[in-house]
Amino acid sequence: MSRVFGNTWALTMSRMRLAMRNRAFLFFSLIMPLAFLFIYAGIFGRGRAQAVPYLLAEVLALTVMGSFWGLSVQLVTFREQGILRRFRVTPVGASAMLASSLLSNYFLTLPTIAIEFFLSRSVFHMAGLGNVLSIFVLVTIGTVTFASLGLIVASVTNTMQETQIINQIIWFVFLFISGATIPFPMLPGAVQAVAVFLPATYLVSGLQRAMIDHTTLPYLGMYLASLGGCALIAFVISAQLFRWEPESKAPRQAKLWAAAAVIPFLLLGIWETVNGDLRSHAMKNLNSIREPYTMERIER
Amino acid sequence: MLSGATIEVNNLTKRYGKVEALRGVSFAVNEGEVFGLLGPNGAGKTSTVEILEGLRTPDSGSVSVCGLDPQTSGAEFKYVIGAALQATALPDKMRVHEALDLFGSFYPNRRGTKELMARFGLEEKRNAFYSQLSGGQKQRLALAMALVNNPRVVFLDEPTAGLDPQVRREIYDIIEELKKEKKTILITTHYIEEAEKLCDRVAIVDHGKVIALGTPRELKQRSGAVTRISVRMARPETNGALGKLDGVTECRTEADDYLLYSTRVPRTIVALVKHLEEQNNELVSLEISAPSLEDIFLELTGRRLRD
């Protein structure tokens, strides 16, 4: 057992090193989130300190969701180039390979998160830090969840091209109807009805509540459980569907299996639709930047 | 394991769609032996080796390596084998020493990165990215990686394919050294000279079957110890008289040369000279070559073994 951890760790370190040498990875996981921060806080927030927690939460969510691309995609490249099969003749197992994707991605996401907080405080004069423990746990579980979802896509697609297309589609859904770009209350009702089934929506909402209302962990339990459950199912399924060989194709029923990862959010979405408070929370969160904004106008 | 062989292969079959890659391959390799699978591309060599490495499953038949089943033995099996795959690929941005460190870290009994780099002439390339290495350097790294766990059994799948002759010779030297370490080595190749130079025993594989097996010397003897005499004459001869010379079992023409296969070379030579004098013909060139595996392959399959 300790050897499995040892192998996972060695792979994690190696893959972090490779990722740091990959310009595309650095751009998407560091430069782009910071660009979002400057656009959101600088332009949308008009440099007002009160708006920063809300906007930073969105940027944090985008950074965490970026794990969806991250190092899961690297695995597809490894498989296509025949790199994985060299690992297959070593004692490294599929789980160690997959876990190293999640871990290396997580360790590379944390510094970006820290830099985002630092810039929010120093450049945009954000007052507090929100509930640090809640944010840390949300970032941790969220990063693992979105990276696991990326692993699922990697395990059901056969070529890099296919992976990119499917990722692109899912990514745009996450980006635009989760509240990470367009605030949730501003989405049309029909879109909101769909959004409550997305993991991304809960990540954004959870981070905003932790940033603005300093919401503690117990109140975020439902969100965390769903994110964690989704991560666990996605990881187990991708370990089952793991393919080492460049020429092996994903079995047809694999796509059905992969769909199982959405079960926690299907349940959470149903619960939310029936008696949820996501909408009221989203409204309250948004008001945290709206109120002074309207005040300013009245003063004028 | 009754025979106590280190590698055992029994009646393997494997089919990819309509292609029958293996049609009942069997052989056994003893401890410390260098065993060659010789055959043209598509003969089934790689399929056989990859089944032994645990990368593929046979349709029927069985294999064992050090008494272990590659499919079910897990890490225990991985610890005893080392492999240089036909195309070993590593991430472009991985450095040479990082690759050896990483792969070494997977094993409890590992060889030092420094020692391996020194042995395979990779010290100067220590910090080079994989993508910056030449074909020969990549191959040397692949061999170093195959030895990183100090394995009992080493699989080398086409270790010199596509390399220029000088690099090929370097690789031969490395394999010769491994031989001295008494490692059991299974090597696949379509280069005759590689099999003759390196292997204790050779199995000739064609169309998914072993068609001959033995030491290079045995294989030559079994072929009837036929020596090839290539003759070129001033005037070509078409009456087939050369085939009737003393000791000649077969006569073929290849371009301007006549290839005489003889079991009694001295007699054939005397008869040939006499015959030329009688015909008033002149000898332009004469070359006597001992039978090679190439000849044996030709004899067994009727085809030449070429890249």
Side-chain angles (χ1 to χ4, degrees):
Chain A
M1 201 59 188
S2 70
R3 284 223 73 85
V4 174
F5 289 123
N7 292 348
T8 306
W9 187 248
L11 281 170
T12 302
M13 296 316 261
S14 173
R15 296 187 63 189
M16 279 172 68
R17 242 178 264 127
L18 291 173
M20 305 274 274
R21 289 172 195 156
N22 182 338
R23 287 207 193 105
F25 181 84
L26 285 182
F27 178 79
F28 284 110
S29 66
L30 184 67
I31 310 291
M32 214 165 71
L34 295 184
F36 269 111
L37 179 67
F38 278 90
I39 292 168
Y40 277 31
I43 299 172
F44 298 159
R46 297 181 180 189
R48 282 177 307 104
Q50 303 97 298
V52 179
Y54 181 88
L55 297 167
L56 173 61
E58 292 190 340
V59 175
L60 292 177
L62 284 173
T63 311
V64 168
M65 278 155 53
S67 312
F68 179 65
W69 287 99
L71 295 172
S72 314
V73 178
Q74 198 188 43
L75 272 190
V76 181
T77 319
F78 280 8
R79 181 172 66 217
E80 273 193 332
Q81 294 179 347
I83 294 168
L84 279 187
R85 68 196 317 255
R86 181 59 187 82
F87 282 99
R88 199 181 176 190
V89 289
T90 71
V92 167
S95 312
M97 203 39 118
L98 291 168
S100 76
S101 301
L102 304 184
L103 285 173
S104 49
N105 175 74
Y106 175 61
F107 291 132
L108 290 169
T109 304
L110 285 183
T112 309
I113 300 280
I115 294 170
E116 284 163 359
F117 265 96
F118 173 77
L119 290 176
S120 297
R121 296 269 300 181
S122 63
V123 177
F124 299 108
H125 313 292
M126 184 175 73
L129 287 172
N131 186 313
V132 176
L133 180 65
S134 293
I135 292 167
F136 177 74
V137 174
L138 274 165
V139 164
T140 302
I141 297 187
T143 307
V144 172
T145 307
F146 282 89
S148 302
L149 288 173
L151 290 180
I152 282 265
V153 176
S155 66
V156 296
T157 50
N158 289 326
T159 62
M160 191 64 188
Q161 230 175 0
E162 231 179 288
T163 316
Q164 301 269 23
I165 293 168
I166 299 208
N167 272 359
Q168 205 64 260
I169 294 169
I170 301 179
W171 174 246
F172 273 103
V173 173
F174 283 168
L175 205 58
F176 291 114
I177 67 172
S178 65
T181 46
I182 306 159
F184 188 85
M186 293 183 179
L187 295 171
V191 177
Q192 286 187 3
V194 176
V196 296
F197 292 96
L198 295 179
T201 309
Y202 294 92
L203 179 72
V204 174
S205 170
L207 283 168
Q208 284 176 336
R209 289 173 62 188
M211 282 300 307
I212 299 161
D213 298 337
H214 297 243
T215 306
T216 53
L217 280 179
Y219 293 97
L220 298 169
M222 197 78 128
Y223 294 2
L224 291 167
S226 304
L227 285 167
C230 175
L232 191 71
I233 296 175
F235 186 84
V236 171
I237 293 172
S238 33
Q240 292 303 310
L241 297 177
F242 193 78
R243 285 166 292 145
W244 300 89
E245 302 292 326
E247 73 269 27
S248 60
K249 299 275 174 255
R252 249 182 228 151
Q253 67 266 34
K255 279 159 190 148
L256 285 177
W257 273 105
V262 305
I263 289 173
F265 285 95
L266 209 59
L267 297 176
L268 184 61
I270 292 168
W271 184 84
E272 180 58 49
T273 309
V274 175
N275 51 5
D277 50 4
L278 186 78
R279 282 181 182 82
S280 62
H281 278 301
M283 204 52 169
K284 208 173 139 211
N285 292 338
L286 185 62
N287 281 337
S288 76
I289 60 170
R290 239 182 209 166
E291 277 162 17
Y293 178 74
T294 43
M295 294 275 282
E296 264 173 43
R297 281 210 167 158
I298 292 163
E299 278 163 19
R300 263 183 219 161
Chain B
M1 275 311 285
L2 287 176
S3 65
T6 303
I7 300 175
E8 272 191 78
V9 176
N10 296 312
N11 222 5
L12 284 190
T13 67
K14 178 81 185 174
R15 172 187 270 287
Y16 304 106
K18 282 182 182 168
V19 183
E20 268 188 293
L22 300 177
R23 301 185 300 157
V25 169
S26 301
F27 60 87
V29 183
N30 299 317
E31 180 90 51
E33 194 173 30
V34 179
F35 190 91
L37 289 179
L38 174 70
N41 291 330
K45 306 183 301 277
T46 296
S47 292
T48 307
V49 172
E50 292 193 343
I51 287 169
L52 284 165
E53 288 163 346
L55 291 178
R56 294 181 192 278
T57 47
D59 293 340
S60 69
S62 66
V63 297
S64 87
V65 177
C66 300
L68 301 166
D69 179 344
Q71 287 301 321
T72 58
S73 299
E76 199 192 348
F77 167 74
K78 307 284 175 69
Y79 290 158
V80 298
I81 67 154
L85 307 182
Q86 193 167 40
T88 292
L90 288 175
D92 282 346
K93 292 280 173 80
M94 188 176 269
R95 297 185 196 281
V96 167
H97 76 94
E98 288 170 354
L100 292 170
D101 281 342
L102 175 64
F103 281 80
S105 75
F106 300 147
Y107 301 95
N109 176 22
R110 66 179 286 192
R111 284 197 183 184
T113 298
K114 262 192 183 165
E115 178 211 329
L116 285 169
M117 284 192 299
R119 177 148 175 209
F120 289 89
L122 291 166
E123 292 134 310
E124 277 179 22
K125 291 286 163 189
R126 182 178 189 282
N127 287 314
F129 288 139
Y130 184 69
S131 58
Q132 296 168 330
L133 300 179
S134 69
Q137 287 161 346
K138 281 181 180 169
Q139 196 54 45
R140 286 199 305 240
L141 178 59
L143 290 177
M145 281 166 56
L147 296 176
V148 80
N149 55 332
N150 204 10
R152 269 177 73 191
V153 179
V154 184
F155 297 105
L156 306 175
D157 196 358
E158 304 266 3
T160 65
L163 299 178
D164 58 56
Q166 192 201 328
V167 182
R168 203 179 287 174
R169 247 169 277 131
E170 276 173 34
I171 305 283
Y172 291 166
D173 291 342
I174 291 168
I175 297 170
E176 292 279 0
E177 263 188 63
L178 292 182
K179 208 166 161 177
K180 282 180 207 144
E181 278 183 38
K182 296 286 168 211
K183 300 233 176 275
T184 306
I185 301 173
L186 181 67
I187 179 168
T188 75
T189 181
H190 59 266
Y191 294 122
I192 296 270
E193 81 266 23
E194 198 163 293
E196 277 197 274
K197 192 168 156 49
L198 299 173
C199 299
D200 298 319
R201 282 193 307 143
V202 177
I204 298 178
V205 187
D206 192 40
H207 292 307
K209 273 190 164 166
V210 173
I211 53 175
L213 196 157
T215 65
R217 177 173 290 205
E218 275 169 4
L219 288 175
K220 286 176 195 174
Q221 281 167 356
R222 205 173 307 160
S223 78
V226 183
T227 299
R228 192 179 67 187
I229 307 168
S230 13
V231 183
R232 188 175 295 182
M233 296 172 298
R235 254 185 311 114
E237 198 165 322
T238 46
N239 57 12
L242 291 180
K244 296 186 187 102
L245 295 177
D246 204 359
V248 172
T249 54
E250 196 188 346
C251 175
R252 296 178 197 220
T253 49
E254 193 172 78
D256 290 340
D257 290 342
Y258 293 86
L259 305 181
L260 306 178
Y261 294 87
S262 166
T263 45
R264 284 174 294 180
V265 182
R267 287 196 183 202
T268 305
I269 297 289
V270 172
L272 174 69
V273 173
K274 266 189 193 163
H275 172 75
L276 288 172
E277 268 174 9
E278 277 166 25
Q279 299 292 314
N280 233 344
N281 206 341
E282 225 176 289
L283 193 62
V284 178
S285 74
L286 179 90
E287 198 180 299
I288 301 171
S289 40
S292 67
L293 284 178
E294 174 86 51
D295 299 318
I296 296 158
F297 189 82
L298 186 68
E299 195 182 300
L300 289 167
T301 65
R303 286 178 295 119
R304 289 199 159 272
L305 193 81
R306 286 272 159 83
D307 294 19

